[in-house]
């Protein structure tokens, strides 16, 4: 094993970990002091050097995104994505509830780097404790002079406010989130223009995931080069892996990117329940394709998972043992996306319902080979042809299950 | 901006004020607090305050599953139907258990108005599955015994 220590989850198990005093006792807000003595461009350059990529699912290089911010725009915004809803993912909720300052310090540094004086936290409506923790963290930061006017005498001003979503997964998608922040239905916008060109209320806006922002203070304190020394060639730094499903010790594990799936499942998550074999693994949240057990040595990185036929996504690993009914798995996952489709484009709105009805027939033992064909036909038709990635993310698990576990679907049919 | 056509609703000849409109979700939460759901009057109130039509407000509110247009019980039980809960003997199994215990189907409210049973999408508790929510409270690592405990406590609450 390479040398590593947790940075993102270093505090979560300390008593009173959510308090600003606890955070500061262990070096919190030192990175902010350091960042405010640098120029905004130097901060961005350090983040570029770290090769940090977004942890919200899309994996876009963070420093590069900050560089897209138009220098001369008078008003710029930062939006903090706390909408965590991708099935299997439960890392952002943990940090927000147990150590919100680790994100907030990243928010302030990011806002300074991009020249934003307003930041908006968009949090899932279901996260009651998270809302409280965000509000308390922000008000404590104001009291200590880390927010508001002339932060730590630097001349930099920043205000942060918290906005609750109201039960719509699609509002985690950055442009839908912006629509929702504007008080509208969460229907995604066409890109381009990208939010960094024209975002919230028409102003240049950077949207960033909580885990992404939590990395930023460490990059500033210890340097981008240090951060980039962790991980693999295209996947730098630490990552929180959420492990759930049929494992003995599910939970969040912070490890370097590139840690093999096998190590995460067997050494950190306690192995498969009842000593069973693995049938399938979802490596990056429910919209990433399944992997079979023979891919267990794959390193958890962007490029390595892609080569294995899947994706890193949010780093949410769902383990299914040999007894798992894959038709039921796909039915559950599809039902989620059908429920969460915003309804704007028809391949997703209609195609989803049609796939779900085939899956329900098959799962209920009332399906035929025609239903399998129809399922595949619709999934192929949707793939890559939906307005936003949600619809394609819905077709992805269906296609991958049919590719890898087709006989299971066929066994469920009653007639031909 | 959007390529989709933006429909501005003229109220008294004025266009919708984006600053006001961005208060929509917060306003709807406040409006919902009074009766547990959005009454017609509540929607009209919000519309008036934000300078929009009730139709605009209804259109937005109906997009979000946490805004309700119908009365609900005092305790709204939301059972996660997500994949990790399913893999941990949860989802339908928990929903069925609660449903039998309370004698109501999904989407229904007990005749005494105490409980409403619903399903909900992944609650980001997949590592502590199965999970459900009752009003503001999250319950994790559910088992029949734990569910019994929760329901009995809530039944006894005055
Ligand atoms: C359907 C859909 C849902 C998404 N949900 C989330 C989410 O809950 N949280 C999140 O951080 N990103 C989510 N994203 C990704 C965001 O669009 C965006 O890429 C991300 O917030 C950018 O931050 P990052 O670069 O730090 O990852 C979602 C994307 C899609 C297409
Ligand atoms: S793919 Fe689905 S969620 Fe995305 S815009 Fe189309 S209908 Fe909406
Ligand atoms: S699947 Fe139930 S909490 Fe995530």
């Amino acid at each position: 094993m390479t040398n590593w220590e947790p940075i993102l989850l270093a505090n979560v198990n300390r008593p009173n970990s959510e308090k600003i005093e606890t955070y500061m006792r262990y070096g919190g807000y030192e990175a902010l002091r350091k960042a405010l003595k640098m120029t905004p461009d130097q901060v961005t350059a350090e983040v570029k050097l770290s090769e940090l990529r977004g942890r919200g699912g899309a994996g876009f290089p963070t420093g590069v995104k900050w560089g897209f911010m138009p220098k001369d725009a008078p008003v710029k915004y930062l939006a903090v994505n706390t909408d965590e809803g991708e099935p299997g993912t439960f890392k952002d909720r943990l940090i927000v509830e147990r150590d919100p300052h680790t994100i907030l310090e990243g928010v302030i540094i990011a806002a300074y780097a991009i020249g934003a004086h307003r930041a908006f936290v968009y949090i899932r409506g279901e996260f009651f404790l998270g809302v409280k923790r965000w509000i308390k963290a922000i008000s404590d930061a104001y009291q200590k002079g880390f927010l508001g006017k002339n932060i730590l005498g630097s001349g930099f001003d920043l205000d942060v406010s918290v906005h609750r979503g109201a039960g719509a997964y699609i509002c985690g998608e950055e442009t839908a989130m912006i629509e929702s922040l504007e008080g509208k239905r969460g229907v995604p916008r066409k890109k381009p223009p990208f939010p960094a060109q024209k975002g919230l209320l028409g102003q240049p806006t950077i949207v960033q995931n909580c885990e992404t922002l939590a990395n930023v203070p460490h990059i500033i304190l210890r340097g981008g080069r240090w951060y980039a020394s962790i991980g693999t060639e295209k996947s730098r730094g630490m990552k929180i892996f959420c492990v759930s499903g049929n494992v003995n010790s599910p939970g969040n594990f912070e490890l370097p990117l590139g840690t093999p799936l096998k190590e995460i499942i067997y050494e950190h998550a306690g192995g498969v329940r009842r000593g069973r074999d693995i049938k399938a693994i979802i490596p990056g949240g429910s919209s990433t394709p399944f992997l079979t057990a023979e891919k267990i040595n794959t390193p958890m990185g962007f490029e390595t998972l892609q080569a294995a036929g899947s994706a890193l996504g949010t780093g949410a690993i769902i383990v299914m043992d040999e007894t798992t009914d894959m038709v039921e798995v796909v039915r559950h996952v599809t039902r989620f996306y059908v429920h969460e489709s915003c309804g704007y484009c028809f391949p997703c709105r209609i195609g989803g319902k049609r796939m779900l009805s085939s899956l329900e027939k098959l799962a209920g033992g009332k399906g035929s080979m025609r239903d399998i064909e129809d399922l595949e036909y619709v999934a192929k038709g949707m793939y890559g042809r939906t307005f936003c990635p949600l619809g394609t993310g819905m077709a992805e698990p269906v296609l991958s299950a049919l590719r890898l576990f087709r006989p299971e679907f066929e066994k469920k049919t009653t007639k031909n | 901006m959007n390529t989709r056509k933006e429909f501005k609703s003229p109220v008294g000849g004025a266009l919708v004020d984006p600053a006001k409109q961005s208060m929509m979700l917060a306003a709807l939460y406040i409006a919902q607090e009074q009766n547990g759901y959005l009454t017609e009057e509540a929607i009209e109130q919000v519309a008036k305050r934000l300078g929009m039509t009730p139709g605009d407000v209804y259109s937005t509110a109906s997009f979000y599953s946490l805004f309700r247009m119908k009365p609900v019980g005092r305790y709204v039980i939301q059972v996660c139907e997500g994949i990790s809960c399913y893999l941990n003997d949860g989802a339908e199994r928990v929903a069925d258990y609660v449903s039998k215990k309370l004698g109501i189907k999904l989407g229904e409210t007990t005749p005494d108005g105490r409980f409403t049973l619903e399903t909900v999408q992944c609650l980001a508790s997949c590592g502590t599955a199965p999970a459900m929510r009752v009003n503001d409270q999250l319950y994790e690592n559910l088992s029949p015994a734990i569910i019994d405990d929760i329901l009995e406590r809530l039944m006894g609450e005055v």
Side-chain angles (χ1 to χ4, degrees), chain A residues 120-188:
Chain A
F120 301 83
V121 171
Y122 187 86
I123 178 163
R124 240 186 109 164
E126 286 91 346
F127 290 177
F128 280 92
L129 183 58
V131 171
K132 282 192 202 149
R133 292 281 155 89
W134 256 128
I135 292 173
K136 174 80 174 125
I138 290 166
S139 66
D140 287 350
Y142 268 104
Q143 294 236 305
K144 297 264 187 228
F146 301 144
L147 284 175
K149 291 250 172 295
N150 191 18
I151 296 171
L152 298 172
S154 65
F156 174 63
D157 307 336
L158 177 66
D159 287 305
V160 185
S161 52
V162 178
H163 305 260
R164 285 180 71 192
Y169 163 75
I170 188 62
C171 291
E173 193 283 328
E174 55 186 7
T175 61
M177 186 169 100
I178 289 170
E179 289 281 305
S180 186
L181 278 169
E182 290 181 1
K184 300 173 186 159
R185 295 163 68 92
V187 176

Side-chain angles (χ1 to χ4, degrees), chain A residues 96-119:
Chain A
V96 170
E97 289 180 0
R98 303 260 200 95
D99 192 15
H101 289 283
T102 205
I103 309 170
L104 187 53
E105 187 175 7
V107 169
I108 307 168
I109 297 171
Y112 176 70
I114 62 174
H117 300 290
R118 278 289 268 129

